[in-house]
Amino acid sequence: MITPKTATLTALATLASAAAFAPAALAQSVIETRDVNRDAVPAGTPAAFVVAFPDAERNEAVREVGEDAYSFVPLAFIPLSDTRVALVSTGANDCTGQACTGLNAVHYLSHDAGEPRYPYRLQGEWLDVGAVGVMGNPAMQWGWTRAITEHPVLFTEAGGVWQGRACGYAVLTELTPSGPKDIARIPTSFSDASVEGGDPGVEGVITSAEKGRSFTVSYTGSASFDEVYKRGADGAYRLDGTSRVSAC
């Protein structure tokens, strides 16, 4: 069985954010986010998970994707309508290289009107959605909101450490009726405080949104500033110019 590298995820999350806190307090996010816990099984998901992954055993499914094997486990339900739900799952693999990533999966399932419940009918599968980490890990944090577009938006966050620099990023994925669509990628943290004379860094969260038009990411830490992402004709949100957040 492929086991999740929980300790690695925790370490990366800590490195990517711990040094970003200067005297300024972290701004309040419009998206409630939480850590990805691959050891927890959310209520109600097992019956949907076996429809999404028919070979699943004990709420885990190993799936070959390309040349790698990933261990998928259920993460959450996101309601799409009164008769449709998105099941989000995360997939980890045994590769421990910096270039190796995990996967996040989304399955659309239909059900009888009301709260999600068995029987479920599979309507679509997408196995490479949102932000993923290094060393074979999927997303480290997740959440969702209806504040940004007319459809639910999945938030996934990941990151890593490269030569003493810790960086985090997030991807916003709109759960449209025809399937998930990544609509924005934003830097969420940077620090090279582990390097002598390095920058303590910044951390950012989405603090406001004008649905269907724009959203604002507010950064605090060694500097405080806002960056506004605006929606283009193709539905994607982009920043005018270059971000002030350093990259790894």
Side-chain angles (χ1 to χ4, degrees):
M1 181 179 72
I2 302 173
T3 56
K5 294 175 279 294
T6 306
T8 302
L9 283 170
T10 303
L12 288 176
T14 301
L15 285 168
S17 62
F21 294 100
L26 187 64
Q28 183 65 42
S29 175
V30 299
I31 305 175
E32 181 181 354
T33 62
R34 63 209 74 181
D35 292 340
V36 170
N37 183 355
R38 285 177 47 85
D39 295 321
V41 179
T45 59
F49 189 70
V50 296
V51 174
F53 295 94
D55 297 330
E57 296 182 5
R58 298 182 180 179
N59 300 309
E60 180 182 26
V62 177
R63 176 77 67 87
E64 296 282 343
V65 181
E67 298 180 354
D68 297 307
Y70 297 85
S71 170
F72 286 93
V73 295
L75 176 65
F77 276 144
I78 298 178
L80 302 177
S81 72
D82 192 44
T83 59
R84 206 179 194 199
V85 68
L87 172 67
V88 183
S89 307
T90 60
N93 69 51
D94 276 338
C95 176
T96 57
Q98 285 287 93
C100 300
T101 67
L103 292 175
N104 308 309
V106 172
H107 291 82
Y108 282 7
L109 303 165
S110 63
H111 57 83
D112 293 339
E115 293 295 318
R117 63 186 183 277
Y118 188 84
Y120 294 98
R121 295 164 291 278
L122 181 63
Q123 294 190 322
E125 174 183 85
W126 298 267
L127 297 178
D128 188 8
V129 175
V132 292
V134 296
M135 301 175 69
N137 287 306
M140 296 187 299
Q141 289 197 316
W142 78 280
W144 71 278
T145 181
R146 293 187 182 275
I148 294 175
T149 74
E150 63 177 314
H151 307 113
V153 170
L154 170 67
F155 173 97
T156 48
E157 184 175 7
V161 180
W162 294 266
Q163 298 181 338
R165 289 185 160 197
C167 292
Y169 78 100
V171 171
L172 302 183
T173 305
E174 185 177 9
L175 302 178
T176 75
S178 59
K181 179 182 179 182
D182 290 345
I183 57 173
R185 175 180 171 126
I186 61 174
T188 54
S189 63
F190 170 82
S191 172
D192 60 359
S194 62
V195 179
E196 185 176 354
D199 185 351
V202 295
E203 183 162 325
V205 296
I206 298 174
T207 52
S208 64
E210 186 177 356
K211 183 180 286 190
R213 297 177 62 88
S214 66
F215 63 82
T216 300
V217 184
S218 298
Y219 294 92
T220 55
S222 59
S224 297
F225 56 92
D226 293 339
E227 295 188 338
V228 179
Y229 288 72
K230 297 180 180 179
R231 193 168 204 177
D234 60 355
Y237 288 75
R238 297 180 180 87
L239 180 67
D240 287 337
T242 303
S243 175
R244 290 179 57 186
V245 182
S246 300
C248 288

